[in-house]
Amino acid sequence: MSLTDAPSGHAALMDGVYRNQRHIYDLTRKYYLLGRDRLIAELDVPAGGSVLEIGCGTGRNMLRAMNQFPNGRYYGLDISEEMLATARASLERHGPSSPVKLAAADATAFDAHALFGVEKFDRVYISYALSMIPDWRLALARAADCIAEGGSLHVVDFGQQERLPGWFRAVLQSWLAKFHVEPRAELFSTMNDEAVRIAGRAHCRPLYRGYTWYAVLTRAAHTP
Ligand SMILES: C[S@@+](CC[C@H](N)C(=O)[O-])C[C@H]1O[C@@H](n2cnc3c(N)ncnc32)[C@H](O)[C@@H]1O
């Protein structure tokens, strides 16, 4: 399904959140969207491998991944046309000569083949987007379906701040709620469920005393 069929309310909400924020997004988020660079470093993209970012925002992560793994083929989707406008401009300014394909689409209902001409990806990642997607479990299932054999899905997002003081957790979560961000307490258990569903393996790790949660789901390689 393309964005035109997507629940337009959520697309409009995200456009509203980011219409102005996108201009200062990269500058400000580096202080609190922790763990993104670890995720990128661990992508370990194979030469010629395909990489999809779901909820790619300004394209900041894609640029960094492309610098680290220049032989990959990169694809990004986001529900916000506002964010994609920044991503396009940024990739044009700083990106490598090889084209990056970007598309407006809903993470819960997209057809990767129709958008990009690619059905499965060697690496799929979602960085700080599941906490903004109402039906995040469906988005996670869609992402897992896109993993090629022997490939992996990497997720980083706000955790439950389980080893941080209670007051910090309360302040952070109420501040995040103002921006329609809800840390997913069931992220790890849902990653484990997805591992069972696709006969893969999930590895889940809290980082920074639970400020961030990071999880990797690997699909088994084909054995003849
Ligand atoms: C906090 S930003 C993260 C951007 C980027 N991944 C990063 O790490 O900087 C969340 C992004 O998710 C996108 N998003 C929210 N709901 C979405 C959905 N249902 N489908 C696709 N993208 C979505 C937003 O438009 C926004 O660009």
Side-chain angles (χ1 to χ4, degrees), residues 23 31 38 47 77-78 82 92 103 134 138 162 196-197 203:
H23 301 293
Y31 298 108
R38 179 185 296 216
L77 67 85
D78 201 285
E82 295 282 346
E92 230 163 74
L138 183 56
E162 57 274 23
V196 172
R197 187 178 68 83
H203 183 54

Side-chain angles (χ1 to χ4, degrees), residues 1-7 54 77 79 104-112 115 133 135 138-143:
M1 181 165 89
S2 74
L3 187 57
T4 43
D5 309 313
I54 295 174
L77 67 85
I79 202 166
D106 184 342
T108 62
F110 65 93
D111 177 343
L115 294 173
I133 300 176
D135 196 347
L138 183 56
L140 200 55
R142 284 295 302 115

Side-chain angles (χ1 to χ4, degrees), residues 10 14 18 25-26 29 33 36 53-58 60-61 77-80 83 105-108 126-129 132-134:
H10 189 58
M14 291 299 106
Y18 290 115
Y25 183 94
D26 288 343
R29 268 51 172 194
L33 298 189
R36 294 184 297 173
E53 178 168 2
I54 295 174
C56 63
T58 60
R60 177 263 184 206
N61 297 330
L77 67 85
D78 201 285
I79 202 166
S80 165
M83 283 301 236
D106 184 342
T108 62
I126 313 177
S127 163
Y128 287 93
M132 296 190 88
I133 300 176

Side-chain angles (χ1 to χ4, degrees), residues 107-204:
T108 62
F110 65 93
D111 177 343
H113 190 262
L115 294 173
F116 304 120
V118 180
E119 206 147 333
K120 307 278 182 189
F121 301 82
D122 298 298
R123 300 289 181 269
V124 181
Y125 66 96
I126 313 177
S127 163
Y128 287 93
L130 289 180
S131 52
M132 296 190 88
I133 300 176
D135 196 347
W136 63 275
R137 286 187 185 79
L138 183 56
L140 200 55
R142 284 295 302 115
D145 288 339
C146 289
I147 311 172
E149 284 174 356
S152 49
L153 163 65
H154 303 241
V155 174
V156 70
D157 215 313
F158 291 105
Q160 292 297 300
Q161 301 87 43
E162 57 274 23
R163 292 180 55 227
L164 288 163
W167 66 262
F168 180 87
R169 178 175 195 243
V171 170
L172 179 68
Q173 297 217 0
S174 73
W175 181 70
L176 293 175
K178 292 189 203 311
F179 300 95
H180 312 280
V181 176
E182 184 182 340
R184 305 304 182 189
E186 292 170 2
L187 177 61
F188 285 170
S189 58
T190 308
M191 283 294 273
N192 285 320
D193 291 346
E194 283 299 315
V196 172
R197 187 178 68 83
I198 69 162
R201 269 182 309 115
H203 183 54
C204 304

